[in-house]
């Protein structure tokens, strides 16, 4: 990387030797060389202009469709997704979590009811995490709590402890009210709609979409090396974490 040269030095060079080091297309005085990316490029001094903002690339969009008690879902979230999120800059990866998975939604006497693959406790876990996301709003607030729940001994019984560790400012009573009330049902209905709208339809969980797409290849790459996949797809400047990664193999998914 070229050393940073102060503008004052560049200006002095221009005054003493007007033609020295200037690109043929640079018709700007030295004090303007770093005033915009276009001028810096024209004058071939981009590497000497640290004040210029680098172009921002679009983040990689990753959506995880999962269920709270599925072993493969928990392992992917805990061993792959959370560590990758920690390693990468916030602007590089945008994650959407959809806790629902292989659940079934039914209308019973005018009220929505949900049946989950791993029983009522999984439905409770799905709704707790959906309500947590709804109450916290900020991804960087609720994702560590979900990581804590999914990596612990009980997804449904450790909320208070996880909140105390990661977000003591959150009111567990509001989350409980959401779970027990109409808001939780509405959130699960929304997650059911998102899951049922998948194209192609999901066959198992964890089901991963990357930039809005799901293919067998993307799923396999995400499970084998999520960090490597995100680094490969990101079009901006790569951070040091993209130097390479290997991770343990996760178990087969929870099929319908």
């Amino acid at each position: 990387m070229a050393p940073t040269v102060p503008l004052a030095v560049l200006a002095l060079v221009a005054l003493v030797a007007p033609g020295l080091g200037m690109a043929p297309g640079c018709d700007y005085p030295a004090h303007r060389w770093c005033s915009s990316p276009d001028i810096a490029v024209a004058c071939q001094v981009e590497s000497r202009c640290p004040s210029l903002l680098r172009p921002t690339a679009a983040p990689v969009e990753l959506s995880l469709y999962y269920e709270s008690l599925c072993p493969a879902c928990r392992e992917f979230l805990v061993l792959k997704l959370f560590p990758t999120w920690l390693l990468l800059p916030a602007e590089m990866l945008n994650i959407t979590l959809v806790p629902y998975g292989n659940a079934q939604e039914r209308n019973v006497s005018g009220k929505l009811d949900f049946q989950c693959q791993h029983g009522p406790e999984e439905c409770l876990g799905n709704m707790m995490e959906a309500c947590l996301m709804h109450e916290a709003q900020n991804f960087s607030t609720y994702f560590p709590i979900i990581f804590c729940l999914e990596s612990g001994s009980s997804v449904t019984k450790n909320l208070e402890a996880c909140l105390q560790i990661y977000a003591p400012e959150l009111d567990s009573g509001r989350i409980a009210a959401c779970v027990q009330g109409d808001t939780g049902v509405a959130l699960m209905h929304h997650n059911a709609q998102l899951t049922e709208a998948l194209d192609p339809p999901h066959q198992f969980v964890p089901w991963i979409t990357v930039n809005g797409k799901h293919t067998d290849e993307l799923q396999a790459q995400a499970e084998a090396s999520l960090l490597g996949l995100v680094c490969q797809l990101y079009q901006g400047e790569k951070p040091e974490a993209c130097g390479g990664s290997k991770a343990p193999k996760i178990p087969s998914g929870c099929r319908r």
Side-chain angles (χ1 to χ4, degrees):
M1 182 175 178
T4 299
V5 178
L7 281 179
V9 176
L10 291 175
L12 182 61
V13 170
L15 289 172
V16 175
L20 184 61
M22 290 182 60
C26 181
D27 297 324
Y28 304 93
H31 71 274
R32 291 192 57 200
W33 287 354
C34 290
S35 61
S36 78
D38 290 341
I39 293 176
V41 169
C43 296
Q44 298 182 4
V45 294
E46 313 97 287
S47 63
R48 304 175 189 274
C49 299
S51 61
L52 288 180
L53 293 176
R54 294 186 177 91
T56 302
V60 175
E61 301 281 346
L62 185 144
S63 295
L64 175 64
Y65 295 82
Y66 71 105
E67 50 198 29
S68 63
L69 297 188
C70 168
C73 297
R74 298 177 73 174
E75 292 211 27
F76 179 80
L77 189 151
V78 170
L79 297 180
K80 297 294 184 69
L81 189 58
F82 189 73
T84 298
W85 176 71
L86 287 177
L87 286 169
L88 297 177
E91 66 272 12
M92 190 170 170
L93 177 61
N94 187 34
I95 299 171
T96 299
L97 300 175
V98 185
Y100 186 78
N102 297 330
Q104 298 292 323
E105 181 183 61
R106 300 182 306 165
N107 190 314
V108 180
S109 302
K111 292 186 177 182
L112 292 178
D113 179 68
F114 303 94
Q115 291 187 326
C116 296
Q117 183 172 12
H118 299 91
E121 187 175 4
E122 180 167 80
C123 283
L124 175 59
N126 291 345
M127 193 175 290
M128 284 177 61
E129 293 183 6
C131 284
L132 169 63
M133 288 186 261
H134 176 73
E135 290 296 328
Q137 296 293 317
N138 189 291
F139 185 84
S140 63
T141 299
Y142 64 71
F143 192 32
I145 302 169
I146 290 176
F147 162 79
C148 179
L149 294 173
E150 293 292 343
S151 61
S153 58
S154 172
V155 172
T156 59
K157 296 177 182 177
N158 290 338
L159 179 61
E160 287 282 358
C162 291
L163 286 176
Q164 286 302 312
I165 295 170
Y166 291 105
E169 73 280 5
L170 288 181
D171 184 355
S172 62
R174 290 179 61 88
I175 298 171
C178 170
V179 170
Q180 296 164 9
D182 294 338
T183 301
V185 174
L187 291 172
M188 293 312 301
H189 175 62
H190 178 65
N191 286 352
Q193 290 180 313
L194 291 176
T195 304
E196 292 304 316
L198 284 167
D199 184 17
H202 85 285
Q203 301 299 318
F204 52 84
V205 287
W207 189 262
I208 302 160
T209 67
V210 181
N211 293 332
K213 299 179 180 179
H214 175 92
T215 65
D216 292 343
E217 181 180 3
L218 282 173
Q219 179 87 21
Q221 286 180 312
E223 292 182 343
S225 177
L226 181 60
L227 178 60
L229 175 62
V230 176
C231 289
Q232 172 191 333
L233 294 176
Y234 184 63
Q235 297 300 305
E237 183 178 353
K238 305 292 196 295
E240 290 183 7
C242 288
S245 63
K246 291 184 179 181
K249 184 179 180 182
I250 66 173
S252 300
C254 296
R255 298 189 174 273
R256 293 191 183 205

